[in-house]
Amino acid sequence: MGFRTALFNARFWGASFERAVLTVIQALGAQVAVFSATDIEKLGLNGLPWSTITSVSVFAGLSSLLTSLGKAGATKGRGPGLVEQLTQKKAKTVTPSVGVTEPTAGSDGKTVK
């Protein structure tokens, strides 16, 4: 699977968007921590430059998405990153235990174990 196939692969896009959202959250948290450590006493939480923090975080997410798209050809569609591989969850099969019997009713109609 190459670049063109990745464009139409829902699993590839899902993993790419997940990575981009995580990048936005990480960038947002890092900036709030840095600004809070330096200016929180002077400005308070409402005084932080939220427009700057938000725009930098969104740009980081877009950069992550573009990076995933750029790597689509190099990874042959295995995932958005060079070391990742998309996996499908397999259905868990349950096998009955050997020797298990159903409870039976006794002469008084109550279940006997």
Side-chain angles (χ1 to χ4, degrees):
M1 178 186 317
F3 176 76
R4 290 182 189 207
T5 309
L7 291 177
F8 301 105
N9 186 339
R11 291 186 312 144
F12 178 85
W13 283 107
S16 297
F17 278 114
E18 178 185 359
R19 172 183 276 178
V21 168
L22 291 174
T23 300
V24 169
I25 292 169
Q26 290 168 346
L28 183 71
Q31 291 178 87
V32 168
V34 168
F35 280 116
S36 295
T38 57
D39 295 333
I40 195 74
E41 292 159 358
K42 292 186 250 176
L43 303 174
L45 195 57
N46 291 332
L48 294 178
W50 288 107
S51 60
T52 301
I53 291 172
T54 304
S55 63
V56 169
S57 298
V58 169
F59 182 74
L62 289 174
S63 297
S64 173
L65 195 60
L66 290 173
T67 300
S68 296
L69 189 58
K71 290 180 182 178
T75 62
K76 297 181 177 108
R78 291 186 313 253
L82 292 175
V83 296
E84 295 179 282
Q85 186 166 6
L86 295 174
T87 58
Q88 288 182 332
K89 291 184 178 180
K90 293 183 179 179
K92 189 175 184 179
T93 56
V94 178
T95 56
S97 300
V98 178
V100 175
T101 58
E102 294 292 321
T104 57
S107 60
D108 60 353
K110 294 184 179 179
T111 303
V112 178
K113 292 184 180 180

